[in-house]
Amino acid sequence: MSNDKFLESIPKLSDFAFNDNAVLSAYNDMEDVYQTYIRHTNKHVYRYFYVAAGYLLNTACSIMKKHQTSHKPNLQEVLEYTQEMLLCRTGETNVYPDGSGEVQEIIQSICSRYLPGDLWEKLVALTDKYDDSVFKAVVLMQPIARGLTHDGYSVPTPEGINKLALQILDIQNGDRVMDLGCGTAGFMVEMFKNDKLARYVEDGFGDVFPGGKYYGYEIATEEYEVAVLRANLLGAHYIDRDFLNIYVNYFAKKCDTDVFDKIFADYPRGLRYEYHCVDGNKMSSDWMFNEQICVHLSSGGKAVAIMSNGAAWNNLDAQTRKTFVQNGLVEAVIALPDRLYNNTGVAVTMIVFSHNNKHVRLVDATKIVTQDKPCNRLSDENIAKIMTGLYQDTEYSKTVDVNDLETNDYVLNYGRYVAADIKFENGQKLGNLIKSIRRGVLYKNTGLSSNKTNTTVDVQYLTLADIKNGIIDDELQYLDTGSEYEKSVFIDKLMEKKNFFVKKNDLIISKSGEPYKIAVADPKPGQKIVPSVNLYVIELDTSRVDPYYVKVFFESQRGKALLNSRSNHATMVNISQEELQKIEIPVPSLEVQKKIKNAYLAAADEYQIYFSKMNDVINRLNAIFDDNCEELKCF
């Protein structure tokens, strides 16, 4: 068979059924052998044992095919064959050399630590049940990890994020691709599933692999080892261990290029690291990585990075974002859904870099997700919808020019600019209508009691849970300060603060959303209510604006959009006092406001009537058995 015919006949990576029954069965059989061995020997559990075992079993199958024998090679024979194969691959001019010595050292190190000869004897018996392609698929399947390693960086990038990034990058043959923080090289595996990159070559040793140029950088030890094995199984691609030193521009010393056509980066977020500066301004670690990504991006290249949500809007990075935007480096920003990663429910942001951008595309993909357990995921349909929003304006995406970004402190958040389309002829900033605004308090050692007689002070505590459907509950719990001494200290603290207790017509807005809880206070005469730390208490200028009118506005669709636009979408959506006061609201005449207030109060009264009736019906339902117990002769 000619070489061309041979290459055409081999299965491409895109043809692999990574989740078919044979592959999953092989994975389970390998795990059973390993777990049985661990139970009997009390050895340390290797998180990625299946990758190392699959790699070596794939090699064992190659040996048996080469010699056309059913003899099971021992572990030493496999290691020797691996070294011979690596040397052969490194000598090929059409394969990018990765340094076979290092790969061989990694394989031997893994074997000495986690895969002794007696365990190998049990594993190699699986070659009677599965062929080399199955073992190869096990090595390249979506990583299965048993928790974080001690260095804390080891969280596999979700498959959906890899697929979305690859669609955006549109990698072509000949592109130099960098994967910063490559982990177990899941992005590389996904990349080589693309038939456009399947320039398969033979290594002269009976094996074939894609002929692309992939450069991976990873700091976590076990993930680095797995990345090297997986990359080597697909060809001799470059993997380096230390990527936290990227700011010293050391790439040129390590590989054949320091400029890349396509870059993907899922770097550690929120590092407590020595912050570097752009134009003399401090920046978070996310933008430190982003800066170096752009330094190493070719003039016609494109990069995708996964950063924390806060980096898109926080004050610390405002000047850095300005520099990036004004230099035309930011092409698009995509707010991703939460719960995509297996170690956190926190949502992240995908940012796209390229050169000479005159505007920025903003996409809100937070609701474009397939609900699943234990994690949400991006399906192919979800990815297609996000890609649509990336190239055309939709109800969840829009193009924002530099002037609008400048007006909004270069916040890269879609919601901020949706609200910019909401205009009012008689608009006023909320801050201009406020007499005072304050947060509630938190007394960590204060207990709560629903029974007033069990407390030492006649003070009630208003929490988020006490605001239901925009109405403050009548039955608030009482603060219990404990001893008489604690009571006197507590009262002294209260008296130190002016307007400490909630007053009639105070506007109450929750600090966290969404949706935000909003109510108007109406305490009874003599009632003392302390707001919790999660609430803002706002005294409005009632000669200009009615509190009920403001409440009703913020509960409207436009009001919710404005609140969302000024929110910080971090671990929990929240809004600061400063941003809250920047919101512009319509201020019609007091007569119009009163009309809206009365309509609200009428609807609220109707709600209370229905709510009361519903409770009566529920109580009757729950009492039916007891009420009829005598007739049923129940004892």
Side-chain angles (χ1 to χ4, degrees):
M1 181 185 295
S2 69
N3 189 56
D4 290 342
K5 291 291 186 182
F6 169 72
L7 294 178
E8 289 175 5
S9 68
I10 63 159
K12 293 180 172 60
L13 200 58
S14 57
D15 297 331
F16 272 61
F18 290 98
N19 295 314
D20 72 7
N21 292 335
V23 175
L24 295 177
S25 175
Y27 168 80
N28 289 328
D29 284 348
M30 291 160 60
E31 281 290 295
D32 286 346
V33 170
Y34 185 54
Q35 293 300 329
T36 300
Y37 178 81
I38 292 297
R39 285 195 296 271
H40 285 86
T41 60
N42 293 320
K43 297 286 186 180
H44 173 68
V45 175
Y46 181 39
R47 296 168 63 244
Y48 295 107
F49 166 79
Y50 72 96
V51 175
Y55 182 91
L56 293 171
L57 288 170
N58 175 268
T59 306
C61 288
S62 297
I63 295 174
M64 295 165 67
K65 279 185 177 181
K66 179 179 179 181
H67 297 290
Q68 297 183 342
T69 177
S70 60
H71 166 73
K72 304 293 189 295
N74 61 40
L75 190 56
Q76 187 58 39
E77 289 174 322
V78 172
L79 293 176
E80 290 175 358
Y81 185 88
T82 302
Q83 184 172 20
E84 184 183 353
M85 179 177 64
L86 290 170
L87 290 173
C88 181
R89 284 186 177 179
T90 306
E92 289 292 316
T93 58
N94 59 349
V95 180
Y96 188 75
D98 62 354
S100 62
E102 184 178 15
V103 177
Q104 184 64 17
E105 289 170 6
I106 287 172
I107 296 171
Q108 290 179 333
S109 174
I110 291 174
C111 289
S112 64
R113 286 179 291 160
Y114 307 117
L115 216 156
D118 55 340
L119 174 57
W120 173 253
E121 291 176 3
K122 297 178 176 63
L123 281 172
V124 75
L126 295 176
T127 56
D128 288 333
K129 189 174 180 181
Y130 307 104
D131 62 25
D132 56 345
S133 65
V134 172
F135 292 124
K136 183 175 183 178
V138 169
V139 176
L140 300 176
M141 68 191 290
Q142 180 76 356
I144 299 173
R146 301 180 182 87
L148 298 177
T149 56
H150 66 278
D151 50 42
Y153 296 118
S154 313
V155 182
T157 302
E159 186 176 25
I161 288 182
N162 282 333
K163 288 182 175 181
L164 175 59
L166 283 165
Q167 287 208 27
I168 294 171
L169 291 172
D170 190 27
I171 299 169
Q172 304 292 321
N173 267 323
D175 283 344
R176 295 157 296 182
V177 181
M178 178 172 78
D179 184 359
L180 183 60
C182 66
T184 57
F187 178 80
M188 175 199 67
V189 174
E190 202 64 45
M191 180 179 104
F192 282 120
K193 288 181 183 178
N194 189 339
D195 284 336
K196 288 192 298 185
L197 302 176
R199 292 187 304 145
Y200 282 77
V201 294
E202 185 182 3
D203 66 352
F205 214 73
D207 290 322
V208 290
F209 44 85
K213 286 199 170 185
Y214 168 87
Y215 307 79
Y217 297 86
E218 176 57 44
I219 192 172
T221 302
E222 291 184 358
E223 278 63 28
Y224 164 71
E225 293 174 342
V226 171
V228 170
L229 293 183
R230 299 176 98 190
N232 185 261
L233 198 61
L234 293 177
H237 302 281
Y238 185 89
I239 307 287
D240 189 59
R241 175 139 201 280
D242 188 6
F243 73 82
L244 286 183
N245 293 322
I246 60 171
Y247 60 87
V248 299
N249 295 334
Y250 80 111
F251 284 124
K253 304 173 187 176
K254 296 285 189 177
C255 62
D256 67 347
T257 182
D258 64 347
V259 178
F260 303 88
D261 302 305
K262 304 293 170 62
I263 300 175
F264 176 69
D266 189 2
Y267 44 68
R269 289 171 286 280
L271 290 182
R272 300 296 180 184
Y273 206 65
E274 180 183 354
Y275 294 136
H276 287 245
C277 298
V278 171
D279 296 342
N281 297 296
K282 283 190 175 181
M283 59 179 170
S284 65
S285 60
D286 297 66
W287 286 97
M288 178 192 75
F289 284 114
N290 292 342
E291 180 189 22
Q292 290 305 311
I293 287 168
C294 292
V295 164
H296 295 285
L297 186 63
S298 66
S299 58
K302 185 172 291 192
V304 169
I306 310 300
M307 66 181 188
S308 59
N309 282 348
W313 49 257
N314 61 26
N315 291 330
L316 173 66
D317 293 316
Q319 287 300 314
T320 303
R321 293 193 300 269
K322 174 182 178 180
T323 300
F324 272 70
V325 170
Q326 290 187 342
N327 288 333
L329 292 170
V330 182
E331 178 180 326
V333 179
I334 305 169
L336 293 174
D338 60 7
R339 293 184 56 241
L340 291 178
Y341 286 80
N342 63 14
N343 73 319
T344 178
V346 177
V348 293
T349 294
M350 176 179 284
I351 187 166
V352 183
F353 297 109
S354 57
H355 295 281
N356 304 316
N357 294 290
K358 304 301 182 185
H359 52 258
V360 178
R361 292 285 305 166
L362 298 178
V363 181
D364 180 8
T366 54
K367 301 296 189 292
I368 306 174
V369 67
T370 298
Q371 302 286 336
D372 211 342
K373 291 183 179 181
C375 303
N376 291 335
R377 61 184 176 87
L378 295 178
S379 66
D380 291 344
E381 292 77 14
N382 298 146
I383 292 171
K385 187 172 182 179
I386 294 172
M387 291 299 294
T388 298
L390 196 60
Y391 294 108
Q392 65 186 54
D393 284 356
T394 67
E395 70 276 10
Y396 55 90
S397 64
K398 67 179 300 180
T399 300
V400 181
D401 63 34
V402 175
N403 291 333
D404 285 340
L405 290 166
E406 182 179 8
T407 303
N408 288 277
D409 300 323
Y410 296 91
V411 169
L412 302 175
N413 184 295
Y414 169 81
R416 175 67 60 92
Y417 303 94
V418 172
D421 296 334
I422 302 174
K423 302 293 184 183
F424 307 105
E425 291 183 2
N426 53 351
Q428 290 282 336
K429 287 188 177 179
L430 185 63
N432 296 334
L433 305 169
I434 289 176
K435 285 187 175 181
S436 69
I437 179 172
R438 68 186 188 279
R439 282 185 67 182
V441 293
L442 173 66
Y443 287 93
K444 294 183 179 179
N445 296 324
T446 300
L448 293 175
S449 174
S450 58
N451 188 342
K452 180 180 176 180
T453 59
N454 293 337
T455 65
T456 53
V457 291
D458 186 16
V459 178
Q460 291 176 290
Y461 197 50
L462 174 61
T463 67
L464 278 174
D466 296 319
I467 301 176
K468 301 170 183 175
N469 296 306
I471 299 173
I472 296 175
D473 199 331
D474 288 334
E475 303 297 329
L476 300 180
Q477 291 185 301
Y478 288 86
L479 292 173
D480 184 4
T481 62
S483 68
E484 288 299 317
Y485 171 75
E486 290 172 328
K487 173 183 176 181
S488 65
V489 172
F490 179 76
I491 294 298
D492 288 343
K493 285 183 178 180
L494 292 184
M495 295 303 104
E496 287 174 5
K497 300 178 182 290
K498 292 184 179 180
N499 301 322
F500 187 82
F501 298 115
V502 171
K503 303 187 303 300
K504 185 177 179 64
N505 287 329
D506 277 347
L507 183 69
I508 312 295
I509 299 181
S510 61
K511 181 179 181 293
S512 304
E514 54 184 9
Y516 290 93
K517 291 190 173 184
I518 306 168
V520 176
D522 188 18
K524 300 179 180 68
Q527 188 179 17
K528 299 174 184 177
I529 300 175
V530 177
S532 77
V533 71
N534 295 317
L535 298 172
Y536 292 127
V537 180
I538 300 172
E539 182 183 1
L540 294 164
D541 182 354
T542 53
S543 68
R544 302 172 62 195
V545 68
D546 188 284
Y548 282 98
Y549 165 76
V550 178
K551 165 186 162 58
V552 172
F553 171 74
F554 278 134
E555 289 178 336
S556 69
Q557 290 302 315
R558 282 178 288 184
K560 289 177 181 177
L562 287 168
L563 282 170
N564 183 64
S565 73
R566 290 288 173 179
S567 298
N568 297 330
H569 295 258
T571 305
M572 179 180 292
V573 178
N574 63 84
I575 190 166
S576 66
Q577 288 188 28
E578 180 183 7
E579 293 297 327
L580 184 60
Q581 294 181 74
K582 290 179 182 178
I583 296 176
E584 185 176 287
I585 70 172
V587 185
S589 67
L590 287 174
E591 183 181 356
V592 172
Q593 293 183 42
K594 184 178 180 181
K595 179 181 177 182
I596 293 173
K597 169 187 175 179
N598 290 338
Y600 166 78
L601 291 176
D605 286 343
E606 188 177 355
Y607 165 79
Q608 291 286 50
I609 292 170
Y610 279 113
F611 183 77
S612 178
K613 287 182 177 180
M614 180 183 70
N615 280 340
D616 288 342
V617 173
I618 290 174
N619 289 334
R620 291 206 310 271
L621 287 172
N622 293 334
I624 286 174
F625 184 84
D626 291 334
D627 291 344
N628 293 278
C629 194
E630 184 175 345
E631 293 183 19
L632 295 172
K633 308 297 183 184
C634 294
F635 300 96

